[in-house]
Amino acid sequence: MLKEFEACPCVVRCYGSDTSIERGEEWYNLFLEYASGGSLFDRTRESGGGLLEDEARRYTKSVLAGLSYIHDQGHVHCDIKPHNKLVVENGRETTAKIADFGLAMKPKEEKIKGVRGTPMYMAPESIRCEEYGPCAYIWAVGCTVLEMVTGKEPWECGRHIEKAALLYRIASK
């Protein structure tokens, strides 16, 4: 799937793949672009409380451009969150690139089965299995921006709240 996004500078590059045998198990290996800045999640945590507005704006702009490209190719990512946005440094410029297409799909070709994504960032309509597309992106990107700027998760739920309770809480909004 990453080959379809090669022309987009806002999606992490894939340089190829192979398989290897490690401890008797076969592994599939992807050779991806090096992201020396880690993920947006890492970058936000390292900032000690949230990114500066101009940095968050720059990353948001590149994420939106990447999502637009992915959508134009007929795909949906289904797991937009700071952990899946890698910070790539090219000289004096840094940009966020979309990565982790493990849940991505082509909705016109594949039937949506169940809930897809990370609960903390899922749009209510996605939780209700109504739609995976631009509307869900707006929610997920909003949650990501909120986390980048504040340094806090988008939903205060504590460690004692079950995943199902969080999904119900979001889906009811």
Short mmCIF file of all heavy atoms in Angstrom, two decimals, residues 21-87:
data_model
loop_
_atom_site.label_atom_id
_atom_site.label_comp_id
_atom_site.label_asym_id
_atom_site.label_seq_id
_atom_site.Cartn_x
_atom_site.Cartn_y
_atom_site.Cartn_z
N ILE A 21 14.29 -15.12 8.90
CA ILE A 21 13.97 -16.14 9.90
C ILE A 21 14.72 -15.78 11.18
O ILE A 21 15.94 -15.63 11.16
CB ILE A 21 14.39 -17.55 9.43
CG1 ILE A 21 13.78 -17.89 8.07
CG2 ILE A 21 14.04 -18.59 10.49
CD1 ILE A 21 12.27 -18.04 8.07
N GLU A 22 13.97 -15.57 12.24
CA GLU A 22 14.56 -15.24 13.53
C GLU A 22 13.99 -16.18 14.58
O GLU A 22 12.77 -16.24 14.75
CB GLU A 22 14.28 -13.79 13.90
CG GLU A 22 14.90 -12.80 12.92
CD GLU A 22 14.57 -11.36 13.24
OE1 GLU A 22 14.32 -11.05 14.41
OE2 GLU A 22 14.56 -10.55 12.30
N ARG A 23 14.88 -16.90 15.26
CA ARG A 23 14.48 -17.88 16.29
C ARG A 23 13.41 -18.83 15.77
O ARG A 23 12.42 -19.13 16.46
CB ARG A 23 14.01 -17.17 17.55
CG ARG A 23 15.11 -16.42 18.26
CD ARG A 23 14.62 -15.80 19.56
NE ARG A 23 15.28 -14.52 19.70
CZ ARG A 23 14.66 -13.35 19.79
NH1 ARG A 23 13.35 -13.29 19.80
NH2 ARG A 23 15.34 -12.24 19.88
N GLY A 24 13.56 -19.26 14.53
CA GLY A 24 12.65 -20.23 13.95
C GLY A 24 11.35 -19.65 13.41
O GLY A 24 10.51 -20.39 12.91
N GLU A 25 11.14 -18.34 13.51
CA GLU A 25 9.93 -17.69 13.01
C GLU A 25 10.25 -16.85 11.79
O GLU A 25 11.29 -16.19 11.74
CB GLU A 25 9.32 -16.78 14.08
CG GLU A 25 8.71 -17.49 15.25
CD GLU A 25 8.02 -16.51 16.19
OE1 GLU A 25 7.31 -15.60 15.71
OE2 GLU A 25 8.20 -16.65 17.40
N GLU A 26 9.33 -16.86 10.83
CA GLU A 26 9.51 -16.01 9.66
C GLU A 26 8.96 -14.61 9.96
O GLU A 26 7.85 -14.47 10.48
CB GLU A 26 8.79 -16.60 8.44
CG GLU A 26 9.06 -15.81 7.19
CD GLU A 26 8.47 -16.45 5.95
OE1 GLU A 26 7.47 -17.19 6.07
OE2 GLU A 26 8.99 -16.21 4.86
N TRP A 27 9.74 -13.59 9.63
CA TRP A 27 9.35 -12.19 9.86
C TRP A 27 9.31 -11.46 8.54
O TRP A 27 10.14 -11.67 7.66
CB TRP A 27 10.37 -11.50 10.77
CG TRP A 27 10.29 -11.97 12.19
CD1 TRP A 27 10.81 -13.12 12.71
CD2 TRP A 27 9.65 -11.30 13.26
NE1 TRP A 27 10.53 -13.20 14.04
CE2 TRP A 27 9.82 -12.09 14.42
CE3 TRP A 27 8.96 -10.11 13.37
CZ2 TRP A 27 9.32 -11.73 15.65
CZ3 TRP A 27 8.46 -9.74 14.61
CH2 TRP A 27 8.64 -10.56 15.72
N TYR A 28 8.34 -10.57 8.41
CA TYR A 28 8.24 -9.70 7.24
C TYR A 28 8.84 -8.36 7.66
O TYR A 28 8.43 -7.77 8.66
CB TYR A 28 6.77 -9.53 6.83
CG TYR A 28 6.59 -8.72 5.59
CD1 TYR A 28 6.87 -9.26 4.34
CD2 TYR A 28 6.14 -7.40 5.65
CE1 TYR A 28 6.71 -8.51 3.18
CE2 TYR A 28 5.99 -6.64 4.50
CZ TYR A 28 6.27 -7.21 3.27
OH TYR A 28 6.12 -6.46 2.13
N ASN A 29 9.82 -7.87 6.92
CA ASN A 29 10.54 -6.64 7.27
C ASN A 29 10.29 -5.55 6.24
O ASN A 29 10.43 -5.79 5.03
CB ASN A 29 12.05 -6.92 7.32
CG ASN A 29 12.37 -8.07 8.25
OD1 ASN A 29 12.18 -7.97 9.44
ND2 ASN A 29 12.84 -9.17 7.68
N LEU A 30 9.92 -4.37 6.70
CA LEU A 30 9.77 -3.21 5.84
C LEU A 30 10.95 -2.28 6.08
O LEU A 30 11.35 -2.07 7.23
CB LEU A 30 8.49 -2.43 6.19
CG LEU A 30 7.17 -2.98 5.72
CD1 LEU A 30 6.03 -2.12 6.24
CD2 LEU A 30 7.12 -3.05 4.21
N PHE A 31 11.49 -1.72 5.01
CA PHE A 31 12.58 -0.75 5.12
C PHE A 31 11.98 0.63 4.90
O PHE A 31 11.65 1.00 3.77
CB PHE A 31 13.68 -1.06 4.11
CG PHE A 31 14.20 -2.46 4.26
CD1 PHE A 31 13.99 -3.40 3.27
CD2 PHE A 31 14.88 -2.84 5.40
CE1 PHE A 31 14.47 -4.69 3.41
CE2 PHE A 31 15.36 -4.13 5.56
CZ PHE A 31 15.15 -5.06 4.57
N LEU A 32 11.80 1.35 6.00
CA LEU A 32 11.13 2.65 5.96
C LEU A 32 12.11 3.80 6.14
O LEU A 32 13.20 3.63 6.69
CB LEU A 32 10.06 2.72 7.06
CG LEU A 32 8.97 1.66 7.02
CD1 LEU A 32 8.06 1.78 8.23
CD2 LEU A 32 8.17 1.77 5.73
N GLU A 33 11.67 4.95 5.72
CA GLU A 33 12.42 6.18 5.89
C GLU A 33 12.76 6.39 7.37
O GLU A 33 11.92 6.14 8.24
CB GLU A 33 11.53 7.32 5.38
CG GLU A 33 12.07 8.69 5.50
CD GLU A 33 11.14 9.72 4.88
OE1 GLU A 33 9.96 9.41 4.60
OE2 GLU A 33 11.60 10.85 4.68
N TYR A 34 13.97 6.85 7.64
CA TYR A 34 14.40 7.08 9.02
C TYR A 34 13.78 8.37 9.54
O TYR A 34 13.88 9.42 8.91
CB TYR A 34 15.92 7.17 9.08
CG TYR A 34 16.43 7.44 10.47
CD1 TYR A 34 16.19 6.54 11.50
CD2 TYR A 34 17.17 8.58 10.74
CE1 TYR A 34 16.66 6.78 12.77
CE2 TYR A 34 17.65 8.82 12.02
CZ TYR A 34 17.39 7.92 13.02
OH TYR A 34 17.86 8.16 14.29
N ALA A 35 13.12 8.28 10.67
CA ALA A 35 12.48 9.43 11.30
C ALA A 35 13.25 9.75 12.58
O ALA A 35 12.92 9.27 13.67
CB ALA A 35 11.02 9.13 11.60
N SER A 36 14.28 10.57 12.45
CA SER A 36 15.17 10.87 13.58
C SER A 36 14.46 11.60 14.72
O SER A 36 14.92 11.56 15.85
CB SER A 36 16.36 11.69 13.10
OG SER A 36 15.92 12.90 12.51
N GLY A 37 13.31 12.23 14.43
CA GLY A 37 12.59 12.96 15.46
C GLY A 37 11.60 12.10 16.24
O GLY A 37 10.88 12.61 17.09
N GLY A 38 11.54 10.80 15.95
CA GLY A 38 10.59 9.93 16.64
C GLY A 38 9.17 10.21 16.17
O GLY A 38 8.95 10.67 15.06
N SER A 39 8.22 9.94 17.03
CA SER A 39 6.80 10.18 16.68
C SER A 39 6.35 11.51 17.26
O SER A 39 7.02 12.09 18.12
CB SER A 39 5.93 9.05 17.23
OG SER A 39 5.90 9.12 18.65
N LEU A 40 5.19 11.99 16.81
CA LEU A 40 4.62 13.20 17.41
C LEU A 40 4.32 12.97 18.88
O LEU A 40 4.44 13.89 19.69
CB LEU A 40 3.34 13.62 16.69
CG LEU A 40 3.51 14.37 15.39
CD1 LEU A 40 2.15 14.77 14.83
CD2 LEU A 40 4.38 15.59 15.56
N PHE A 41 3.97 11.75 19.24
CA PHE A 41 3.75 11.42 20.64
C PHE A 41 5.04 11.64 21.43
O PHE A 41 5.04 12.31 22.47
CB PHE A 41 3.27 9.97 20.77
CG PHE A 41 3.07 9.52 22.18
CD1 PHE A 41 1.91 9.83 22.87
CD2 PHE A 41 4.06 8.81 22.85
CE1 PHE A 41 1.72 9.43 24.18
CE2 PHE A 41 3.88 8.39 24.16
CZ PHE A 41 2.71 8.71 24.83
N ASP A 42 6.16 11.10 20.92
CA ASP A 42 7.45 11.28 21.58
C ASP A 42 7.81 12.76 21.68
O ASP A 42 8.25 13.24 22.72
CB ASP A 42 8.57 10.56 20.81
CG ASP A 42 8.37 9.07 20.71
OD1 ASP A 42 7.77 8.48 21.63
OD2 ASP A 42 8.82 8.48 19.70
N ARG A 43 7.65 13.46 20.57
CA ARG A 43 8.02 14.88 20.50
C ARG A 43 7.22 15.69 21.54
O ARG A 43 7.77 16.55 22.20
CB ARG A 43 7.75 15.38 19.09
CG ARG A 43 8.27 16.72 18.76
CD ARG A 43 9.74 16.64 18.46
NE ARG A 43 10.14 17.74 17.61
CZ ARG A 43 11.11 17.63 16.75
NH1 ARG A 43 11.77 16.52 16.61
NH2 ARG A 43 11.46 18.66 16.04
N THR A 44 5.95 15.38 21.64
CA THR A 44 5.10 16.09 22.61
C THR A 44 5.53 15.79 24.03
O THR A 44 5.62 16.70 24.87
CB THR A 44 3.62 15.70 22.40
OG1 THR A 44 3.25 16.03 21.06
CG2 THR A 44 2.71 16.44 23.36
N ARG A 45 5.80 14.54 24.34
CA ARG A 45 6.23 14.17 25.70
C ARG A 45 7.56 14.82 26.07
O ARG A 45 7.75 15.28 27.18
CB ARG A 45 6.34 12.65 25.85
CG ARG A 45 5.03 11.90 25.78
CD ARG A 45 4.07 12.35 26.89
NE ARG A 45 2.76 11.76 26.78
CZ ARG A 45 1.71 12.30 26.16
NH1 ARG A 45 1.83 13.45 25.56
NH2 ARG A 45 0.55 11.71 26.15
N GLU A 46 8.47 14.85 25.11
CA GLU A 46 9.80 15.44 25.35
C GLU A 46 9.73 16.95 25.55
O GLU A 46 10.61 17.53 26.16
CB GLU A 46 10.75 15.11 24.19
CG GLU A 46 11.12 13.65 24.13
CD GLU A 46 11.79 13.26 22.82
OE1 GLU A 46 12.06 14.14 21.98
OE2 GLU A 46 12.06 12.06 22.65
N SER A 47 8.69 17.59 25.01
CA SER A 47 8.56 19.04 25.13
C SER A 47 8.23 19.47 26.56
O SER A 47 8.38 20.62 26.91
CB SER A 47 7.48 19.57 24.19
OG SER A 47 6.19 19.23 24.69
N GLY A 48 7.75 18.52 27.37
CA GLY A 48 7.44 18.83 28.76
C GLY A 48 6.11 19.51 28.99
O GLY A 48 5.89 20.13 30.02
N GLY A 49 5.20 19.42 28.04
CA GLY A 49 3.88 20.00 28.28
C GLY A 49 3.16 20.47 27.05
O GLY A 49 2.15 21.15 27.14
N GLY A 50 3.65 20.17 25.90
CA GLY A 50 2.98 20.57 24.67
C GLY A 50 3.93 21.31 23.75
O GLY A 50 4.88 21.95 24.19
N LEU A 51 3.65 21.22 22.46
CA LEU A 51 4.50 21.86 21.46
C LEU A 51 4.13 23.33 21.31
O LEU A 51 3.01 23.74 21.63
CB LEU A 51 4.31 21.16 20.11
CG LEU A 51 4.59 19.66 20.08
CD1 LEU A 51 4.29 19.11 18.69
CD2 LEU A 51 6.02 19.37 20.47
N LEU A 52 5.06 24.10 20.78
CA LEU A 52 4.77 25.50 20.47
C LEU A 52 3.75 25.54 19.34
O LEU A 52 3.70 24.64 18.49
CB LEU A 52 6.04 26.23 20.07
CG LEU A 52 7.11 26.34 21.16
CD1 LEU A 52 8.37 26.97 20.58
CD2 LEU A 52 6.59 27.15 22.34
N GLU A 53 2.97 26.60 19.29
CA GLU A 53 1.88 26.70 18.32
C GLU A 53 2.36 26.57 16.88
O GLU A 53 1.76 25.86 16.08
CB GLU A 53 1.14 28.02 18.50
CG GLU A 53 -0.05 28.17 17.58
CD GLU A 53 -0.78 29.48 17.77
OE1 GLU A 53 -0.70 30.08 18.86
OE2 GLU A 53 -1.44 29.90 16.81
N ASP A 54 3.47 27.24 16.51
CA ASP A 54 3.92 27.17 15.13
C ASP A 54 4.39 25.76 14.75
O ASP A 54 4.18 25.30 13.63
CB ASP A 54 5.02 28.20 14.84
CG ASP A 54 6.29 27.97 15.63
OD1 ASP A 54 6.22 27.53 16.79
OD2 ASP A 54 7.38 28.23 15.07
N GLU A 55 4.98 25.03 15.69
CA GLU A 55 5.41 23.66 15.43
C GLU A 55 4.18 22.75 15.26
O GLU A 55 4.11 21.96 14.32
CB GLU A 55 6.30 23.16 16.57
CG GLU A 55 6.92 21.82 16.31
CD GLU A 55 7.87 21.37 17.43
OE1 GLU A 55 7.87 21.96 18.52
OE2 GLU A 55 8.59 20.40 17.17
N ALA A 56 3.21 22.89 16.15
CA ALA A 56 1.98 22.09 16.05
C ALA A 56 1.25 22.40 14.74
O ALA A 56 0.74 21.49 14.08
CB ALA A 56 1.07 22.37 17.24
N ARG A 57 1.23 23.66 14.35
CA ARG A 57 0.57 24.06 13.10
C ARG A 57 1.27 23.42 11.90
O ARG A 57 0.62 22.89 10.99
CB ARG A 57 0.57 25.58 12.96
CG ARG A 57 -0.21 26.05 11.75
CD ARG A 57 -0.20 27.57 11.55
NE ARG A 57 -0.50 28.30 12.76
CZ ARG A 57 0.36 29.17 13.34
NH1 ARG A 57 1.54 29.39 12.82
NH2 ARG A 57 0.01 29.81 14.44
N ARG A 58 2.59 23.44 11.88
CA ARG A 58 3.36 22.87 10.77
C ARG A 58 3.09 21.36 10.65
O ARG A 58 2.86 20.84 9.57
CB ARG A 58 4.85 23.15 10.97
CG ARG A 58 5.72 22.70 9.83
CD ARG A 58 7.18 23.09 9.99
NE ARG A 58 7.79 22.49 11.16
CZ ARG A 58 8.18 23.16 12.26
NH1 ARG A 58 7.99 24.46 12.34
NH2 ARG A 58 8.74 22.53 13.26
N TYR A 59 3.10 20.66 11.80
CA TYR A 59 2.84 19.22 11.78
C TYR A 59 1.42 18.92 11.35
O TYR A 59 1.17 18.00 10.59
CB TYR A 59 3.12 18.60 13.15
CG TYR A 59 4.57 18.67 13.57
CD1 TYR A 59 4.91 18.75 14.90
CD2 TYR A 59 5.61 18.64 12.64
CE1 TYR A 59 6.24 18.79 15.31
CE2 TYR A 59 6.93 18.69 13.04
CZ TYR A 59 7.25 18.77 14.37
OH TYR A 59 8.55 18.81 14.76
N THR A 60 0.48 19.71 11.84
CA THR A 60 -0.92 19.51 11.48
C THR A 60 -1.13 19.69 9.98
O THR A 60 -1.82 18.90 9.33
CB THR A 60 -1.83 20.46 12.27
OG1 THR A 60 -1.64 20.24 13.66
CG2 THR A 60 -3.29 20.27 11.91
N LYS A 61 -0.49 20.71 9.42
CA LYS A 61 -0.61 20.98 7.99
C LYS A 61 -0.10 19.79 7.18
O LYS A 61 -0.75 19.36 6.21
CB LYS A 61 0.17 22.24 7.63
CG LYS A 61 0.05 22.64 6.18
CD LYS A 61 0.79 23.94 5.92
CE LYS A 61 0.69 24.31 4.45
NZ LYS A 61 1.41 25.55 4.16
N SER A 62 1.03 19.21 7.56
CA SER A 62 1.56 18.08 6.80
C SER A 62 0.69 16.83 6.98
O SER A 62 0.50 16.07 6.02
CB SER A 62 3.03 17.80 7.15
OG SER A 62 3.18 17.40 8.48
N VAL A 63 0.14 16.63 8.17
CA VAL A 63 -0.75 15.49 8.40
C VAL A 63 -2.01 15.63 7.54
O VAL A 63 -2.45 14.68 6.90
CB VAL A 63 -1.10 15.34 9.90
CG1 VAL A 63 -2.25 14.36 10.10
CG2 VAL A 63 0.13 14.90 10.69
N LEU A 64 -2.58 16.82 7.50
CA LEU A 64 -3.78 17.04 6.69
C LEU A 64 -3.50 16.84 5.20
O LEU A 64 -4.31 16.25 4.48
CB LEU A 64 -4.36 18.44 6.94
CG LEU A 64 -4.99 18.64 8.30
CD1 LEU A 64 -5.34 20.11 8.52
CD2 LEU A 64 -6.21 17.77 8.49
N ALA A 65 -2.33 17.30 4.73
CA ALA A 65 -1.96 17.10 3.33
C ALA A 65 -1.81 15.60 3.04
O ALA A 65 -2.28 15.11 2.00
CB ALA A 65 -0.67 17.85 3.01
N GLY A 66 -1.20 14.87 3.95
CA GLY A 66 -1.05 13.43 3.79
C GLY A 66 -2.38 12.70 3.77
O GLY A 66 -2.61 11.83 2.94
N LEU A 67 -3.26 13.07 4.67
CA LEU A 67 -4.58 12.43 4.72
C LEU A 67 -5.39 12.73 3.46
O LEU A 67 -6.09 11.84 2.95
CB LEU A 67 -5.35 12.90 5.96
CG LEU A 67 -4.85 12.35 7.29
CD1 LEU A 67 -5.59 13.00 8.45
CD2 LEU A 67 -5.00 10.83 7.34
N SER A 68 -5.28 13.94 2.96
CA SER A 68 -5.97 14.30 1.73
C SER A 68 -5.48 13.43 0.57
O SER A 68 -6.28 12.91 -0.21
CB SER A 68 -5.74 15.78 1.42
OG SER A 68 -6.34 16.12 0.20
N TYR A 69 -4.18 13.24 0.49
CA TYR A 69 -3.59 12.41 -0.56
C TYR A 69 -4.06 10.96 -0.43
O TYR A 69 -4.46 10.34 -1.41
CB TYR A 69 -2.06 12.49 -0.52
CG TYR A 69 -1.41 11.82 -1.70
CD1 TYR A 69 -1.17 12.53 -2.87
CD2 TYR A 69 -1.06 10.48 -1.66
CE1 TYR A 69 -0.58 11.92 -3.97
CE2 TYR A 69 -0.49 9.86 -2.75
CZ TYR A 69 -0.25 10.58 -3.90
OH TYR A 69 0.32 9.96 -4.99
N ILE A 70 -3.99 10.44 0.78
CA ILE A 70 -4.41 9.05 1.04
C ILE A 70 -5.87 8.86 0.63
O ILE A 70 -6.23 7.89 -0.03
CB ILE A 70 -4.20 8.69 2.52
CG1 ILE A 70 -2.70 8.61 2.83
CG2 ILE A 70 -4.90 7.38 2.88
CD1 ILE A 70 -2.39 8.63 4.33
N HIS A 71 -6.72 9.82 1.02
CA HIS A 71 -8.14 9.75 0.69
C HIS A 71 -8.35 9.83 -0.83
O HIS A 71 -9.18 9.11 -1.39
CB HIS A 71 -8.90 10.85 1.41
CG HIS A 71 -10.37 10.74 1.24
ND1 HIS A 71 -11.13 9.77 1.87
CD2 HIS A 71 -11.22 11.45 0.49
CE1 HIS A 71 -12.39 9.90 1.52
NE2 HIS A 71 -12.48 10.91 0.68
N ASP A 72 -7.59 10.71 -1.50
CA ASP A 72 -7.72 10.84 -2.96
C ASP A 72 -7.33 9.54 -3.68
O ASP A 72 -7.80 9.29 -4.79
CB ASP A 72 -6.85 11.99 -3.47
CG ASP A 72 -7.40 13.36 -3.11
OD1 ASP A 72 -8.57 13.45 -2.66
OD2 ASP A 72 -6.64 14.35 -3.25
N GLN A 73 -6.50 8.73 -3.05
CA GLN A 73 -6.10 7.44 -3.62
C GLN A 73 -7.13 6.35 -3.31
O GLN A 73 -6.95 5.19 -3.67
CB GLN A 73 -4.73 7.01 -3.10
CG GLN A 73 -3.61 7.99 -3.40
CD GLN A 73 -3.48 8.28 -4.88
OE1 GLN A 73 -3.40 7.38 -5.70
NE2 GLN A 73 -3.48 9.55 -5.24
N GLY A 74 -8.20 6.71 -2.58
CA GLY A 74 -9.27 5.76 -2.28
C GLY A 74 -9.08 4.98 -0.99
O GLY A 74 -9.80 4.01 -0.75
N HIS A 75 -8.15 5.38 -0.16
CA HIS A 75 -7.87 4.67 1.09
C HIS A 75 -8.32 5.49 2.30
O HIS A 75 -8.47 6.71 2.21
CB HIS A 75 -6.36 4.43 1.25
CG HIS A 75 -5.79 3.49 0.26
ND1 HIS A 75 -5.77 2.12 0.46
CD2 HIS A 75 -5.23 3.69 -0.95
CE1 HIS A 75 -5.20 1.54 -0.57
NE2 HIS A 75 -4.87 2.47 -1.45
N VAL A 76 -8.51 4.82 3.42
CA VAL A 76 -8.66 5.49 4.71
C VAL A 76 -7.65 4.85 5.66
O VAL A 76 -7.39 3.66 5.58
CB VAL A 76 -10.10 5.39 5.29
CG1 VAL A 76 -11.06 6.25 4.49
CG2 VAL A 76 -10.59 3.97 5.36
N HIS A 77 -7.06 5.66 6.52
CA HIS A 77 -5.99 5.20 7.40
C HIS A 77 -6.54 4.42 8.59
O HIS A 77 -5.99 3.39 8.98
CB HIS A 77 -5.17 6.40 7.89
CG HIS A 77 -3.95 6.03 8.66
ND1 HIS A 77 -4.01 5.69 10.00
CD2 HIS A 77 -2.66 5.94 8.29
CE1 HIS A 77 -2.79 5.41 10.42
NE2 HIS A 77 -1.95 5.56 9.41
N CYS A 78 -7.61 4.88 9.20
CA CYS A 78 -8.32 4.22 10.30
C CYS A 78 -7.60 4.24 11.65
O CYS A 78 -8.10 3.64 12.60
CB CYS A 78 -8.68 2.76 9.97
SG CYS A 78 -9.82 2.60 8.59
N ASP A 79 -6.45 4.89 11.76
CA ASP A 79 -5.78 4.93 13.07
C ASP A 79 -4.91 6.18 13.20
O ASP A 79 -3.71 6.11 13.45
CB ASP A 79 -4.94 3.67 13.28
CG ASP A 79 -4.61 3.43 14.76
OD1 ASP A 79 -5.27 4.03 15.63
OD2 ASP A 79 -3.69 2.65 15.03
N ILE A 80 -5.55 7.33 13.05
CA ILE A 80 -4.84 8.60 13.16
C ILE A 80 -4.63 8.92 14.63
O ILE A 80 -5.58 8.98 15.41
CB ILE A 80 -5.64 9.74 12.49
CG1 ILE A 80 -5.85 9.42 11.01
CG2 ILE A 80 -4.97 11.08 12.68
CD1 ILE A 80 -4.59 9.27 10.21
N LYS A 81 -3.36 9.10 15.02
CA LYS A 81 -2.98 9.45 16.39
C LYS A 81 -1.53 9.91 16.38
O LYS A 81 -0.81 9.64 15.41
CB LYS A 81 -3.18 8.27 17.33
CG LYS A 81 -2.35 7.04 16.98
CD LYS A 81 -2.65 5.88 17.92
CE LYS A 81 -1.86 4.64 17.53
NZ LYS A 81 -2.15 3.52 18.42
N PRO A 82 -1.08 10.58 17.42
CA PRO A 82 0.31 11.09 17.44
C PRO A 82 1.36 9.99 17.32
O PRO A 82 2.44 10.23 16.78
CB PRO A 82 0.41 11.78 18.80
CG PRO A 82 -0.98 12.08 19.20
CD PRO A 82 -1.83 11.00 18.60
N HIS A 83 1.06 8.81 17.78
CA HIS A 83 2.01 7.69 17.73
C HIS A 83 2.31 7.27 16.29
O HIS A 83 3.37 6.70 16.02
CB HIS A 83 1.44 6.48 18.47
CG HIS A 83 0.98 6.77 19.85
ND1 HIS A 83 -0.13 7.54 20.12
CD2 HIS A 83 1.49 6.42 21.05
CE1 HIS A 83 -0.30 7.63 21.42
NE2 HIS A 83 0.67 6.96 22.02
N ASN A 84 1.39 7.52 15.35
CA ASN A 84 1.53 7.09 13.96
C ASN A 84 1.97 8.21 13.03
O ASN A 84 1.85 8.09 11.82
CB ASN A 84 0.21 6.51 13.45
CG ASN A 84 -0.14 5.22 14.13
OD1 ASN A 84 0.71 4.57 14.73
ND2 ASN A 84 -1.40 4.83 14.06
N LYS A 85 2.46 9.29 13.59
CA LYS A 85 3.00 10.40 12.80
C LYS A 85 4.46 10.53 13.17
O LYS A 85 4.80 10.82 14.31
CB LYS A 85 2.27 11.72 13.10
CG LYS A 85 0.77 11.65 13.03
CD LYS A 85 0.30 11.20 11.68
CE LYS A 85 -1.10 10.67 11.73
NZ LYS A 85 -1.27 9.37 12.29
N LEU A 86 5.33 10.30 12.20
CA LEU A 86 6.76 10.33 12.46
C LEU A 86 7.36 11.66 12.05
O LEU A 86 7.00 12.22 11.02
CB LEU A 86 7.45 9.19 11.71
CG LEU A 86 6.95 7.79 12.06
CD1 LEU A 86 7.70 6.74 11.25
CD2 LEU A 86 7.07 7.52 13.54
N VAL A 87 8.27 12.16 12.88
CA VAL A 87 8.91 13.44 12.64
C VAL A 87 10.22 13.20 11.89
O VAL A 87 11.12 12.55 12.40
CB VAL A 87 9.17 14.20 13.96
CG1 VAL A 87 9.86 15.53 13.69
CG2 VAL A 87 7.84 14.42 14.70
#
